Amino acid sequence: MAATPDVGFARSRRASLIGAVFLMATSAVGPGFITQTATFTATMGAAFAFGILASILIDLVVQLNIWRVVTVTGLRAPEIANAALPGSGYLLAILIIVGGLTFNVGNIAGAGLGLNALMGLDTTWGGLISAVIAAGIFSSRRAGIAIDRIIVVLGVLMMAMTVFVALASNPPVGEALRQTVMPDTINFATITTIVGGTVGGYITYAGAHRLLDSGLGGVDNVDTVSKAALRGILVTGVMRYILFLAILGVVASGVVIDVSSQSANPAAQAFQAAAGEMGLRAFGLILWAAGITSIIGAAYTSMSFMSAFRPGISEGVRNRATLVFIAITLIAFMSVGTPPAALLVFVGGFNGLILPVGLTLFVYVAWRRADLMHGHRYPRWLLVAGAVVCALTWYMGFNAIGPIFAFLTPSA
């Protein structure tokens, strides 16, 4: 029996929501976050638990506000920014594209680290091969569909492996829980970096824009969208904390993790220490797949902001621009002398510095531009939380500028 129109619409809407949440989740737990978590856990120990909690809470407020404003207004981020403050949409687009460039240099580095762990390949050659493969996948619709399905399987494998490593490494859970709320030290650079690696730059808008493309804009859809965003953030939050515990157990056992040399691959070292050679190879495959999809996602989403300067840009032109974007980031990756792991940490921090600009504009629209919100009654608690997080991201960013750029020149 054929599905009724209402059933078909419900299925289509559910698929669109799952797609948007999956895009957000895979972006939030990508090669950058994995490497950043391993690096900061190795250097800070259990005290980094507070950074994980802070990043989850900040991500929650950022995503709920931005997804709600995009859904209610039915506009893309640059259009919302220009409506809030004429000309600011162009600034936001430039920042997102520049942030996407840095993100993609890190994504290529992450894919290179993945092939290094999987096959022992030099990270520079691994990055080059991965960028070429990513461009090929993007150019082939059939290959793109295949990689989408493969990454779901690899994502499930990663979750299972992380849980296994967390159990095998026997982390000091009590100490981690204590320092989650009462840390021995608070490092604004690490929090800004982790936040930037999960909702900074293009990531903030990727899922929201996908919802618009799926026809889920408008006040009628806001509750459904918000619930989907909440579920996605909570799932990725749990995943982040388990990853932290897995690496903390390895660090607490006395294993010294290299975080700064040219060949450093902190997360791979942790998985190898806990799960042996097979753990290392499986982790390499997962990190490489995450890197490949992130290269494509960062390039395509960043180039979608070109519409701020050229409304009505054709799909063909944008696709060609995406391939050029990948090529530019590949050249940058091969030219810069910073170790791949340090690059992945830096790009998260850099995009964390960009985050407050867009968030400020969106919070302003939520507070003051009722004309754009079509009479929608914005939750007061979300408005207040958005304003508080906005101020907090500006404060953290100001205090973290120096330490974040120091990641580009790590000690030998």
Side-chain angles (χ1 to χ4, degrees):
M1 180 182 291
T4 65
D6 286 346
V7 172
F9 172 76
R11 288 176 179 171
S12 175
R13 185 173 73 167
R14 185 165 57 249
S16 298
L17 287 169
I18 291 172
V21 169
F22 185 76
L23 181 60
M24 177 189 72
T26 53
S27 298
V29 189
F33 180 83
I34 292 169
T35 303
Q36 292 155 17
T37 299
T39 299
F40 294 142
T41 304
T43 55
M44 295 182 65
F48 184 53
F50 177 80
I52 296 289
L53 175 63
S55 74
I56 293 171
L57 295 177
I58 292 171
D59 292 0
L60 181 67
V61 173
V62 170
Q63 292 284 24
L64 285 178
N65 272 285
I66 288 179
W67 280 38
R68 182 176 288 263
V69 172
V70 168
T71 300
V72 173
T73 62
L75 301 173
R76 291 179 174 271
E79 297 169 322
I80 294 170
N82 276 331
L85 180 65
S88 63
Y90 306 119
L91 172 63
L92 181 62
I94 290 171
L95 290 175
I96 295 302
I97 292 172
V98 171
L101 280 166
T102 64
F103 239 125
N104 234 27
V105 173
N107 289 332
I108 293 173
L113 287 173
L115 285 185
N116 174 261
L118 177 63
M119 304 166 54
L121 194 65
D122 178 77
T123 52
T124 301
W125 280 104
L128 171 62
I129 293 170
S130 300
V132 172
I133 292 174
I137 291 171
F138 178 78
S139 301
S140 171
R141 289 185 179 274
R142 184 165 296 179
I145 294 170
I147 200 69
D148 281 346
R149 292 173 179 171
I150 292 169
I151 196 61
V152 172
V153 175
L154 291 173
V156 173
L157 175 61
M158 178 186 174
M159 292 179 190
M161 262 195 67
T162 305
V163 171
F164 170 76
V165 171
L167 294 172
S169 65
N170 192 28
V173 176
E175 179 65 9
L177 291 175
R178 181 187 72 80
Q179 297 222 43
T180 299
V181 293
M182 292 187 298
D184 291 340
T185 180
I186 297 176
N187 188 315
F188 288 123
T190 62
I191 298 174
T192 301
T193 298
I194 285 292
V195 169
T198 51
V199 291
Y202 81 95
I203 295 175
T204 320
Y205 310 100
H209 282 182
R210 176 158 179 168
L211 289 172
L212 285 189
D213 292 340
S214 303
L216 285 173
V219 177
D220 292 343
N221 291 309
V222 70
D223 288 340
T224 302
V225 167
S226 294
K227 289 176 182 177
L230 180 61
R231 285 194 294 267
I233 293 165
L234 291 178
V235 169
T236 56
V238 171
M239 182 62 190
R240 291 181 210 171
Y241 203 83
I242 293 173
L243 176 64
F244 157 71
L245 288 176
I247 297 168
L248 178 63
V250 173
V251 172
S253 71
V255 174
V256 177
I257 294 179
D258 174 19
V259 298
S260 61
S261 74
Q262 187 67 36
S263 60
N265 194 343
Q269 295 169 53
F271 274 70
Q272 183 178 25
E277 196 69 16
M278 285 299 295
L280 173 66
R281 304 305 176 196
F283 173 78
L285 176 62
I286 291 164
L287 185 63
W288 179 74
I292 283 285
T293 54
S294 294
I295 291 170
I296 297 170
Y300 185 77
T301 306
S302 297
M303 286 297 91
S304 72
F305 277 77
M306 286 178 60
S307 61
F309 306 99
R310 188 176 172 183
I313 185 172
S314 70
E315 188 73 13
V317 171
R318 190 164 66 181
N319 287 347
R320 288 193 291 274
T322 301
L323 293 174
V324 172
F325 188 94
I326 293 174
I328 291 172
T329 51
L330 173 60
I331 293 170
F333 164 72
M334 299 189 71
S335 301
V336 72
T338 305
L343 267 178
L344 280 166
V345 176
F346 166 74
V347 297
F350 183 81
N351 280 277
L353 299 177
I354 292 174
L355 174 63
V357 178
L359 183 59
T360 299
L361 294 167
F362 274 71
V363 169
Y364 169 74
V365 168
W367 272 99
R368 305 296 300 171
R369 294 301 302 269
D371 56 316
L372 296 175
M373 300 301 289
H374 305 298
H376 173 62
R377 188 178 180 84
Y378 213 92
R380 179 63 57 177
W381 71 269
L382 191 55
L383 281 173
V384 174
V388 170
V389 166
C390 186
L392 181 62
T393 55
W394 278 110
Y395 177 77
M396 290 194 307
F398 179 78
N399 284 279
I401 291 175
I404 284 171
F405 278 88
F407 291 135
L408 285 175
T409 54
S411 57

